[in-house]
């Protein structure tokens, strides 16, 4: 009995002192943002025109080496969509002296990784190893870049895998919405290819593309991590000093223009009818033909995106998921080009709520151009950007990617250390001005079971033209998208 009384007394003391022991009513104020300080990028150039860019950081005995070529899907013809990515992927699938298996085993033996791929603006091959294995890794990297075999069996296997993945993805509403937006809204072709372009791709196509576009005078070899600039240059000279550009001219970038049929004159809703789909994808897409990566409004655009759809607490996710429970997530993004960009929002919802979600997306985009963003929202959204940026630079691979992006767009590498200041310098008036001047009159693309949301869509948007295409009748090689 006495023991029970003592326990009650102790419990009472714990309860009355809980605020002091376990927390406080007012959380501490956020500390001032810290700049992500990166050692300067040391640049050298070989006699063949190859640029060597190195960032020495000795904290961890790791090195990432990335060869970046300043060309990508923009250099492939629409009928050959996916050629850049397939070509880049094939580089690690065997050389004149190593099979695909031997390339993988050689890197694995070093305890490293090797990756390759292509986007719209560039393509790359990269390896990450411990700093005592750089010489051996560099020999493998040079082999896959300079001596690819482009083995027909490996190509057939890669095409088959790519087609299987693409066929499956085209049944997914969210993927299909982005796929359609590339042509319908942005006037581009899907960088990952189309079923027809992948099927028709030949070894000769890949050899020709590699010959025309893999050139030392259009490439940057990036070193990040535990390696001195002098060592990076010496290793590069040994591995790539004899690399020469081909006699032929490189491919010419495709001219991207807004589809002439609409030209941004009015709001358009495109419905891709996917009967019996479990959900509907809703995308808002707007091409920005004069706002490129080097534009002076790049940072206002980035902060705007963080506010609108750049994370869990962004406006779109709050309105659509947190507040109404209509989706598992909603977001937005900019896809940057040298002199233009593609802006889009994305979410997936029940077919029954597709039209409602369209209205919510349009309202949030409109609100950005009409009202200011208060500091209570702006400060944490900036912190998301700067925090993610700084965290990415902590790894050698992340740092190499950041350096590569700057070279791909021709931006001074000094911008790495100016990022935090530039983001924090964006004002609410700059965001409002950018939104009102650039984001209105985009396209709404809905992919889902049209029979379910048809009536609600007509009720909510009675004055908006709706173009409906059956998913089975979709053809991105045609201007009107119809087979």
């Amino acid at each position: 009995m006495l023991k029970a009384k003592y326990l009650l007394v102790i419990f009472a003391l714990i309860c009355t002192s809980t605020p002091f022991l376990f927390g406080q009513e007012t959380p501490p104020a956020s500390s001032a943002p810290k700049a992500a300080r990166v050692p300067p990028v040391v640049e050298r150039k070989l006699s063949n025109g190859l640029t060597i860019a190195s960032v020495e950081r000795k904290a961890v005995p790791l090195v990432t080496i990335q060869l970046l070529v300043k060309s990508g899907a923009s250099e492939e013809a629409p009928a050959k969509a996916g050629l850049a990515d397939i070509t880049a992927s094939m580089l690690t699938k065997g050389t004149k002296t190593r099979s695909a298996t031997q390339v993988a085993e050689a890197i694995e033996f070093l305890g490293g990784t090797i990756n390759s791929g292509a986007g719209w603006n560039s393509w790359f091959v990269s390896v990450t190893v411990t700093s005592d294995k750089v010489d051996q890794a560099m020999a493998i990297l040079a082999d896959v870049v300079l001596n690819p075999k482009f083995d027909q069996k490996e190509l057939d296997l890669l095409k088959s895998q790519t087609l299987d993945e693409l066929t499956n993805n085209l049944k997914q509403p969210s993927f299909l919405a982005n796929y359609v937006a590339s042509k319908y809204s942005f006037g581009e072709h899907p960088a990952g290819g189309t079923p027809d372009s992948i099927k028709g791709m030949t070894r000769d196509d890949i050899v020709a593309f590699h010959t025309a576009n893999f050139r030392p005078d259009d490439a940057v070899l990036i070193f990040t991590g535990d390696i001195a600039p002098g060592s990076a240059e010496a290793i590069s000279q040994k591995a790539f000093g004899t690399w020469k550009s081909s006699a032929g001219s490189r491919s010419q970038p495709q001219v991207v223009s807004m589809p002439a049929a609409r030209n941004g004159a009015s709001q358009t809703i495109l419905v891709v009818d996917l009967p019996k789909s479990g959900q509907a994808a809703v995308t808002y897409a707007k091409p920005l033909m004069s706002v490129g990566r080097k534009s002076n409004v790049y940072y206002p655009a980035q902060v705007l995106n963080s506010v609108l759809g750049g994370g869990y607490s962004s406006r779109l996710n709050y309105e659509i998921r947190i507040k109404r429970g209509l989706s598992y997530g909603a977001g937005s993004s900019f896809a940057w080009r040298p002199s233009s960009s593609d802006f889009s929002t994305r979410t997936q919802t029940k077919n029954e709520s597709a039209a409602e979600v369209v209205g919510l997306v349009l309202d949030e985009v409109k609100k950005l151009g009409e009202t200011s963003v208060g500091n209570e929202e702006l400060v944490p959204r900036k912190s998301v950007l700067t925090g993610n940026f700084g965290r990415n630079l902590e790894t050698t691979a992340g740092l190499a990617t950041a350096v590569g992006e700057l070279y791909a767009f021709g931006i001074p590498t000094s911008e790495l250390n100016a990022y935090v200041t530039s983001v924090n310098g964006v004002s609410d008036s700059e965001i409002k001005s950018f939104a009102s001047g650039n984001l209105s009159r985009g396209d709404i693309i809905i992919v889902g079971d049209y029979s379910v949301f048809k009536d609600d869509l007509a009720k909510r948007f009675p004055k908006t033209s709706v173009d409906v295409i059956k998913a089975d009748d979709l053809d991105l090689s045609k201007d009107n998208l119809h087979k």
Side-chain angles (χ1 to χ4, degrees), residues 234-250:
I235 294 171
S236 301
Q237 178 64 48
K238 178 181 178 181
F240 288 99
T242 60
W243 184 15
K244 291 181 172 55
S245 298
S246 61
S249 59
R250 61 172 286 186

Side-chain angles (χ1 to χ4, degrees), residues 403-464:
V403 172
E405 179 184 331
L406 297 178
Y407 273 103
F409 289 107
I411 297 170
T413 54
S414 58
E415 187 161 322
L416 281 175
N417 285 319
Y419 182 89
V420 172
T421 301
S422 298
V423 167
N424 287 320
V426 173
S427 67
D428 63 320
S429 61
E430 288 178 297
I431 295 174
K432 182 178 178 181
S433 175
F434 183 92
S436 62
N438 295 285
L439 298 189
S440 62
R441 297 188 180 280
D443 298 325
I444 286 290
I445 300 172
I446 311 173
V447 178
D449 190 336
Y450 184 47
S451 65
V452 177
F453 58 82
K454 177 181 179 180
D455 293 340
D456 193 25
L457 190 67
K459 179 181 178 180
R460 292 175 184 268
F461 301 95
K463 298 180 180 180
T464 304

Side-chain angles (χ1 to χ4, degrees), residues 90-111:
M90 282 295 296
L91 294 177
T92 61
K93 303 299 183 184
T95 72
K96 295 172 184 176
T97 59
R98 293 180 174 94
S99 66
T101 300
Q102 288 172 328
V103 170
E105 289 177 343
I107 286 293
E108 185 178 356
F109 179 77
L110 299 178

Side-chain angles (χ1 to χ4, degrees), residues 32-187:
K34 296 181 179 180
R37 303 306 304 176
V38 178
V41 179
V42 178
E43 184 178 304
R44 310 281 174 85
K45 196 175 284 284
L46 302 186
S47 59
N48 59 7
L50 178 63
T51 298
I52 312 300
S54 56
V55 183
E56 184 179 11
R57 197 159 61 182
K58 293 181 172 294
V60 178
L62 285 176
V63 177
T64 291
I65 311 168
Q66 180 186 100
L67 180 77
L68 179 132
V69 181
K70 303 173 192 175
S71 61
S74 60
E75 273 77 15
E76 65 195 18
K80 300 293 183 181
L83 180 57
D85 191 52
I86 289 290
T87 304
S89 298
M90 282 295 296
L91 294 177
T92 61
K93 303 299 183 184
T95 72
K96 295 172 184 176
T97 59
R98 293 180 174 94
S99 66
T101 300
Q102 288 172 328
V103 170
E105 289 177 343
I107 286 293
E108 185 178 356
F109 179 77
L110 299 178
T113 58
I114 186 167
N115 297 288
S116 62
W120 188 261
N121 305 296
S122 61
W123 50 345
F124 73 93
V125 188
S126 69
V127 294
T128 297
V129 292
T130 54
S131 50
D132 60 332
K133 302 291 195 306
V134 169
D135 285 323
Q136 301 98 306
M138 191 66 159
I140 299 171
L141 178 66
D143 194 25
V144 301
V145 171
L146 303 179
N147 304 305
K149 186 178 181 181
F150 298 131
D151 182 76
Q152 185 65 53
K153 289 184 179 180
E154 290 292 342
L155 175 58
D156 291 342
L157 176 60
L158 181 59
K159 285 175 59 177
S160 176
Q161 293 170 336
T162 303
L163 276 170
D164 286 346
E165 182 178 8
L166 184 56
T167 300
N168 178 69
N169 286 340
L170 288 174
K171 298 175 184 177
Q172 312 307 315
S174 58
F175 180 91
L176 188 52
N178 293 331
Y179 182 85
V180 170
S182 63
K183 175 66 179 288
Y184 182 77
S185 299
F186 303 135

Side-chain angles (χ1 to χ4, degrees), residues 191-273:
T194 67
D196 287 342
S197 68
I198 298 299
K199 289 176 185 176
M201 204 170 292
T202 67
R203 183 180 183 277
D204 288 344
D205 292 330
I206 292 169
V207 171
F209 195 77
H210 178 267
T211 301
N213 293 285
F214 247 53
R215 309 163 57 97
D217 55 350
D218 201 35
V220 184
L221 191 57
I222 301 165
F223 293 80
T224 55
D226 186 18
I227 185 168
S231 298
E233 182 181 15
I235 294 171
S236 301
Q237 178 64 48
K238 178 181 178 181
F240 288 99
T242 60
W243 184 15
K244 291 181 172 55
S245 298
S246 61
S249 59
R250 61 172 286 186
S251 304
Q252 294 300 310
Q254 298 297 310
V255 177
V256 176
S257 59
M258 188 185 301
R262 298 183 315 283
N263 201 30
S266 61
Q267 191 98 57
T268 304
I269 296 179
L270 172 68
V271 174
V272 179
D273 188 13

